[in-house]
Amino acid sequence: LRNFDLKPERTKAWEVGGEFQFLDDRLGLDLAYYDKKTVNQIVPSQISALTGFTSRFVNAGTIRNSGVEFQLRGTPVRLDNGFEWQVYGNYSKNTSEVEELYGDLETIVLYSYYGVTVEARKGEPYGQMYGRLYARDGEGNIIVGSNGRPLNGSSNPVGVVGKYNPDWTGGLGKRLSYGDFTLNVLIDTQQGGSVFSMTNRYGRRSGVLKSSLPGRELYDEDGVPLPPSEGGGLIVTGVRVVAGVTVPNDIRVSAQDYHRCLSGIAEEFTYDASFVKLREIRLGYMVPQSLTARMGVSQMSLSFIARNLYLWTDVPNIDPETAFNPGNAQGYEWGQ
């Protein structure tokens, strides 16, 4: 629905920092602290479908971001023969809070996909992710139904499954140079943040991932998995409530029924998106001017560059960095 009363989004910000050089420029440090307040953010807000529309763009209120950034660089080795070793690193951390929303709204759903919503809720960090959680007892045990499967329905609580913004990001690199050759190596990291993975959701549901193998180990002579009644399947770790009494679960369930049951539980497929990457190795060669002059070129360098060489992460099967979107729907991995 059109909104002719929209105001332009505005950001007021201040920043303080410094740049420092020591030891004949062999050690350098850049520091910065910032505080930004953004007002009149333009976001879609749900409205009654009786209007003929389902949403309307509104000015959402006020969001504050503050954080720190620093860069450190040094040259621990610098020899007379031209060999030099440089190291450098950076760190940044941002904290956000939704201070106000449109009118009397307490939350605005920025995006929703398969039961997982990204929301801006008043008084909470921007970009919290909400979805269906496991039903648990007072001691944190997963509650299993009479069919041996975790509860998955309206009785399950809906709550925070994560937040797509990382706690902090950083990087560490080194540069070796000698004569006309240079070698750069860069490692970077994201710590914190969350990703909801459709690859793992679909893969578990369809049985094509290694994590879907438990309960499928036993087969009959024709290669068909044994049913639970014949010792196949698995017993889900959890508790059942029988006549008001909580007892350990002892009901076997087929692997297919179990993994399909998990599809609607967002908690199961939302992961800590932390990672460390060997981001880049770059080998460069500066062509001597005695050669470039013959070609009528003042300067020329040749480089061999390799990127994204190795990934360390606890997120199964995917690269968590691929959970991105040009809009507000961050934190979703779409089934890469």
Side-chain angles (χ1 to χ4, degrees):
L1 180 64
R2 293 184 179 182
N3 183 353
F4 296 99
D5 297 322
L6 282 179
K7 300 176 183 179
E9 180 179 304
R10 297 185 182 277
T11 296
K12 297 179 180 180
W14 61 268
E15 181 174 339
V16 60
E19 298 180 10
F20 308 91
Q21 303 287 339
F22 308 95
L23 304 176
D24 194 22
D25 289 344
R26 294 185 65 170
L27 181 63
L29 176 64
D30 294 352
L31 293 171
Y33 176 84
Y34 62 87
D35 187 279
K36 301 179 181 180
K37 177 183 282 190
T38 303
V39 298
N40 297 330
Q41 289 215 83
I42 300 174
V43 297
S45 177
Q46 288 71 38
I47 60 175
S48 170
L50 295 176
T51 62
F53 299 85
T54 58
S55 64
R56 183 188 193 198
F57 280 101
V58 299
N59 292 116
T62 303
I63 296 176
R64 180 183 294 275
N65 285 276
S66 61
V68 295
E69 299 174 342
F70 77 78
Q71 290 183 328
L72 180 65
R73 55 194 176 277
T75 307
V77 177
R78 180 183 290 164
L79 303 180
D80 293 337
N81 63 4
F83 178 80
E84 188 172 272
W85 170 32
Q86 296 178 332
V87 294
Y88 49 92
N90 64 78
Y91 170 90
S92 64
K93 178 179 177 63
N94 180 79
T95 302
S96 68
E97 182 183 357
V98 180
E99 295 186 343
E100 297 179 18
L101 287 176
Y102 175 74
D104 59 354
L105 291 177
E106 292 296 320
T107 184
I108 291 180
V109 176
L110 304 174
Y111 200 82
S112 178
Y113 190 69
Y114 274 88
V116 176
T117 59
V118 172
E119 302 184 23
R121 290 198 180 191
K122 189 174 180 179
E124 297 188 8
Y126 187 81
Q128 294 270 55
M129 303 169 68
Y130 295 83
R132 184 175 294 174
L133 308 175
Y134 279 107
R136 300 178 184 270
D137 64 8
E139 297 181 359
N141 299 306
I142 294 175
I143 299 177
V144 177
S146 58
N147 55 11
R149 291 173 281 182
L151 295 183
N152 181 6
S154 58
S155 61
N156 289 62
V158 174
V160 177
V161 294
K163 60 179 179 67
Y164 68 66
N165 287 313
D167 295 332
W168 61 274
T169 60
L172 183 64
K174 70 175 181 179
R175 180 178 183 270
L176 302 174
S177 61
Y178 181 72
D180 295 324
F181 291 92
T182 59
L183 175 66
N184 280 280
V185 180
L186 175 63
I187 295 175
D188 62 18
T189 182
Q190 169 183 304
Q191 295 299 312
S194 302
V195 54
F196 174 66
S197 172
M198 291 303 295
T199 291
N200 285 284
R201 180 186 180 277
Y202 281 134
R204 289 281 291 278
R205 179 176 176 83
S206 58
V208 299
L209 294 181
K210 182 179 179 180
S211 53
S212 69
L213 289 176
R216 301 161 60 184
E217 301 92 340
L218 302 179
Y219 295 84
D220 61 19
E221 58 185 10
D222 297 319
V224 178
L226 293 180
S229 59
E230 298 181 20
L234 70 159
I235 298 177
V236 177
T237 301
V239 296
R240 294 187 299 119
V241 180
V242 180
V245 179
T246 299
V247 298
N249 176 48
D250 59 358
I251 299 177
R252 301 192 74 86
V253 61
S254 71
Q256 176 173 313
D257 288 344
Y258 169 64
H259 292 294
R260 288 190 172 185
C261 165
L262 299 179
S263 291
I265 302 176
E267 178 185 351
E268 176 67 24
F269 303 106
T270 305
Y271 306 93
D272 181 346
S274 300
F275 67 84
V276 177
K277 276 192 175 184
L278 178 53
R279 180 66 69 185
E280 181 177 286
I281 295 179
R282 178 191 299 258
L283 178 63
Y285 173 66
M286 182 64 69
V287 181
Q289 288 188 340
S290 59
L291 296 178
T292 60
R294 300 175 185 178
M295 298 181 285
V297 178
S298 60
Q299 192 176 72
M300 179 186 295
S301 63
L302 304 175
S303 296
F304 172 80
I305 303 170
R307 287 183 58 81
N308 299 324
L309 292 161
Y310 202 82
L311 168 68
W312 295 269
T313 183
D314 290 333
V315 183
N317 305 308
I318 67 166
D319 178 351
E321 195 178 24
T322 58
F324 67 92
N325 185 283
N328 286 311
Q330 307 295 319
Y332 294 94
E333 181 269 324
W334 306 96
Q336 61 181 291

